[in-house]
Every structure is written in structure tokens, then in C-alpha cells.
Amino acid sequence: MKRILLTTALVAAVAAPALPAAACDITVGLVMELTGPAGAYGQAGAKAVEMAFRDVNEAGGAAGCTLVTDTRDSQSQGTVAVDQATQLVNIKKVPVVIGGIISSVTIPILTSVTAPAGVVQVSPAASSPTLTQLGKQGKTNGVFFRTITSDALQGTAAAKYAIDQGLKKIAIIHVNNDFGVNIVREFSAAYAKLGGTITSTTPYNEQQSSYSAEASAAMAGEPEALYLVSTPVDGATIARAWISGGGAQKLLLNDGMNSADFIDSVGAQYLNDAYGTSSGTTKTDSTDYFYSAYEAFSGGIKPDAPAADRSYDAGAIVALAIAKAGKADAAAIKAAIPQVVAEGGMPIHAGKAEFAKALQLIKDGKPIKYEGVIGPVSFDQYGDITGPFRLWRIQDGKVTTVGEMSAAEVDQTRAALAK
């Protein structure tokens, strides 16, 4: 599929009536996984950020300027991502980089480029606990933020959900990178303490033509279900190998597997006992707006595509922080990001009208609190958010939300298991 990434300014010109020309442009760098195993995530994420910038530009722009994007493809590879981010920071002099989507891209950008340069980095979907540890070790320079909860929490939520669904004897196949290793470590510890039995743990390397060997290895011990930690393309190949080899048609899936492409590739008829967890959302007016407008803006990408919702929020938070900072200065933007989602501010939702209200409040020196597509969030000192987890299952080819596990419930579970 041919991808054409338009700058926000051009999209706005096509989609909206002409506005007075802004006095300047502010370029924000995007490093997204547009191709490779996580390509579906990055394509959805890039369009969501562009949509957020379009909405802010139509509302009057940030700091008197038009927001534009310089979007680069990481190819789902850390080394490529570092090269692209280096160009954005050192040559284009961007004050903010949004990306990556996955942890194995986000972490090298942070450690090699943005943290040393003092440039703000916001990841919509990198969930590795390593990012929190880097913050605690003082290695992020305070520039890192993410609009997704850590896998340290998701692993516990997934373990409890599995037990609650009666999945008490499970095999694990996981991508062999920082994301996969971390979520499986957290899951395994919690699952065992909750009374579950893990029959085997099988890592895999990405972008292989066949995963029959991994599927066969995971079947040892006669598990009653498979916990598959993967991305849609590789995950579909693994799931097909598992099912065709006689593996139980009961699956537990990570957040990124909530994908129509995954379902279509495996076959809906094989996934009626597939369950999953996702960093959750609390519905707001922003959610309604995004779900009504994103598909048309993106050219057909569904609003429930992995990373789309939280990428819009990442773009909106960055845009509002630039407006709050009043200039394209990384240090000022870093200080402003927590302020635009802080308790006590006027609630602001997504869309042109709401952003116009936000820009006026900022101009008047009044506080705002952006309540996004994924719900109200705030950042701790390490750039992490806390929030609920969505519990879902696949039925008749559709992903259906069946419940929610609050952050407090996850914390209580973790505390009980630590005793």
C-alpha cells in the first residue's frame, strides 16, 4: 500500500476553510514504525498525530505558529530510528520528537539522541518497564513522557485476567526484545503466585517466514492455552502455526494484538476464545470525537487501530504544551507538558472548538487539563501515566470490551502478590 504522509498544514488546507496565514511554522519530529513488524501501529499513530495538529492549527495554532510534522520511518528497527532521530534533532533542530511506537525503537532514541540533547520525547505506546528504570536512574534527563501504562502493570493485569477466565495452564510465546521479555517476566511472576502453571516459555526473533518450531516447542506439557506476546503480522503467523499444529484454540493476547489485520489473517472462526488486555481508556468527549472523525481523516484506518487513540493524545498534549511554553523551546515544552494535564485546570477535550477554548485560556494565563481520547491522564516524575486496563475478547471476528481493571485494582493485586 502506498503511503503519502502530508504535513498538517497541507491536510488543514484541504479539509478546512482557509485561515489567516500563521506567522511561523513549528516543526515536530515524528519517528514512527511505518514499515516492518509494527508498521500497522506506526501508520495509525502518524495519522493520529497529524489529526491532532490539524485540529490545533484550525483552532489558531500553537504559540502563534502552524504546527507541521517531519515524519520518518524507523522501519521497526532501533538503529534506523536513531539515525532518523539524529537528523531531526541535529539538522532540523526539532524541540520535540514523538515516537517511537514500540519500546525497542523508543529506548535507543531516548538513550542515544533525545536525552543527551535535552529534546522532549513523547511515545504513544512504548510500554517497557525499562523506560521507568531509566528515569529512576536519572538517564532520561527528564525529557521522556508516554501515553501508555507500563508493562509492569499490564503483566499483572493479564495474569489476573487469565486466571479469572479459567486459563490455569498456559504456554508462552513472546517476541525476543525488551518489550516481550519485560511483559513476560511480570506476567509469569504474577501468574504463578495466582496459582497458574506455565508449561513453557518460548522466545522468537522477528520477521521469520515460519514459526512452526516455536509453536511445536510451546505445545510441550499440554497447555490449555497460549499467551502470545507479539505484533499483528508475526503474531498471525505464530497463531496459525499453533492452531494448525493442534494447539488449543484458547489465546491470551497483549494490547498490540487488538487488530483487525490479525483477526483476518488468522481467521475469525479460530479466535472465539481469544482474550486480551490493553492499556485502558476512560471514555470522554474526546473519545466520541476521535471515533467519529479519525477514519475519514486517516483515509480508512479504523479508530480502534492499535496506538491510534493514544497517538492523538500524544500529539494534542505536545501541541498544547508548545502553546503553553509560548515558543519552540525544548526546556520550556518539557516544563509545560505536565501543566496541560494537571489537576485543577479547566477540562479540555479534543477537536477544533475545544482547542480554541484551550488556547484562549492559555493566553489568559489560566490553567487547563486536557482530557484525552484515552481519558484523563497525568504524568509522574518519570513521565509515566497510570490508568485502567481494558479487558477484551474476540467474538465473531470483532473485539468486544468485557470489563475494566482499574489502576487501583492492579496496584492492590501487585501489593498482595508481593507479600
Side-chain angles (χ1 to χ4, degrees):
M1 180 178 68
K2 186 176 181 181
R3 288 175 296 274
I4 303 174
L5 296 178
L6 302 178
T7 65
T8 305
L10 180 55
V11 172
V14 173
L19 296 171
C24 55
D25 289 345
I26 293 176
T27 300
V28 172
L30 270 64
V31 181
M32 295 288 189
E33 288 72 271
L34 303 177
T35 58
Y41 304 168
Q43 292 173 41
K47 283 297 184 184
V49 173
E50 291 174 6
M51 180 176 164
F53 282 10
R54 185 278 310 265
D55 291 345
V56 172
N57 287 335
E58 290 186 357
C65 296
T66 298
L67 296 171
V68 297
T69 61
D70 187 330
T71 302
R72 308 295 180 92
D73 181 10
S74 75
Q75 301 175 29
S76 302
Q77 298 178 41
T79 53
V80 175
V82 168
D83 288 343
Q84 297 294 347
T86 298
Q87 293 179 38
L88 289 168
V89 169
N90 293 345
I91 298 174
K92 298 299 290 285
K93 304 297 182 183
V94 299
V96 181
V97 171
I98 298 178
I101 293 289
I102 57 177
S103 299
S104 57
V105 163
T106 302
I107 292 170
I109 293 174
L110 177 63
T111 56
S112 299
V113 184
T114 54
V119 168
V120 174
Q121 181 180 349
V122 181
S123 171
S127 52
S128 171
T130 297
L131 290 157
T132 305
Q133 292 303 314
L134 289 170
K136 290 180 177 178
Q137 295 164 6
K139 295 180 180 179
T140 68
N141 205 11
V143 301
F144 182 74
F145 304 86
R146 55 178 163 176
T147 51
I148 192 170
T149 47
S150 166
D151 286 329
L153 300 176
Q154 185 176 176
T156 301
K160 187 175 188 304
Y161 188 37
I163 293 295
D164 290 346
Q165 300 310 306
L167 307 179
K168 296 185 178 180
K169 189 179 180 183
I170 204 165
I172 300 172
I173 299 178
H174 70 87
V175 59
N176 191 21
N177 61 19
D178 187 87
F179 159 70
V181 169
N182 275 294
I183 193 171
V184 167
R185 182 179 64 240
E186 298 293 339
F187 172 86
S188 299
Y191 185 71
K193 288 184 178 180
L194 288 167
T197 298
I198 296 172
T199 57
S200 64
T201 300
T202 305
Y204 77 86
N205 295 320
E206 295 179 281
Q207 294 183 282
Q208 305 300 308
S209 59
S210 172
Y211 291 106
S212 296
E214 288 82 356
S216 295
M219 290 179 197
E222 299 182 352
E224 63 185 20
L226 173 67
Y227 184 27
L228 179 55
V229 180
S230 186
T231 52
V233 175
D234 286 344
T237 304
I238 294 167
R240 289 196 302 268
W242 170 265
I243 293 166
S244 65
Q249 291 179 26
K250 291 185 177 181
L251 301 178
L252 181 67
L253 305 169
N254 63 290
D255 50 355
M257 303 293 282
N258 177 355
S259 163
D261 289 342
F262 170 76
I263 296 170
D264 291 343
S265 185
V266 176
Q269 68 271 31
Y270 301 113
L271 296 172
N272 284 319
D273 281 317
Y275 303 86
T277 57
S278 296
S279 181
T281 63
T282 300
K283 188 176 180 182
T284 68
D285 289 346
S286 297
T287 316
D288 292 336
Y289 166 74
F290 181 79
Y291 270 70
S292 68
Y294 175 74
E295 186 172 357
F297 176 86
S298 67
I301 302 174
K302 300 293 185 182
D304 60 356
D309 51 4
R310 57 199 67 253
S311 293
Y312 183 96
D313 287 344
I317 290 168
V318 166
L320 293 172
I322 292 172
K324 177 75 173 176
K327 53 186 175 181
D329 176 77
I333 296 167
K334 179 180 79 171
I337 283 179
Q339 296 177 29
V340 300
V341 294
E343 294 297 330
M346 175 68 71
I348 296 295
H349 298 105
K352 175 183 174 181
E354 285 287 296
F355 289 148
K357 181 170 69 174
L359 295 173
Q360 186 60 52
L361 289 167
I362 290 171
K363 183 177 179 181
D364 294 341
K366 297 178 180 178
I368 65 169
K369 178 174 176 55
Y370 173 69
E371 296 184 350
V373 182
I374 65 170
V377 301
S378 59
F379 297 105
D380 67 13
Q381 67 267 44
Y382 308 117
D384 281 343
I385 66 168
T386 59
F389 284 90
R390 183 162 70 96
L391 309 178
W392 48 271
R393 67 175 299 180
I394 299 171
Q395 292 179 299
D396 299 322
K398 303 293 184 182
V399 176
T400 304
T401 298
V402 297
E404 183 178 280
M405 191 179 302
S406 70
E409 289 178 279
V410 176
D411 289 340
Q412 289 168 6
T413 301
R414 286 169 62 85
L417 296 177
K419 294 179 180 178

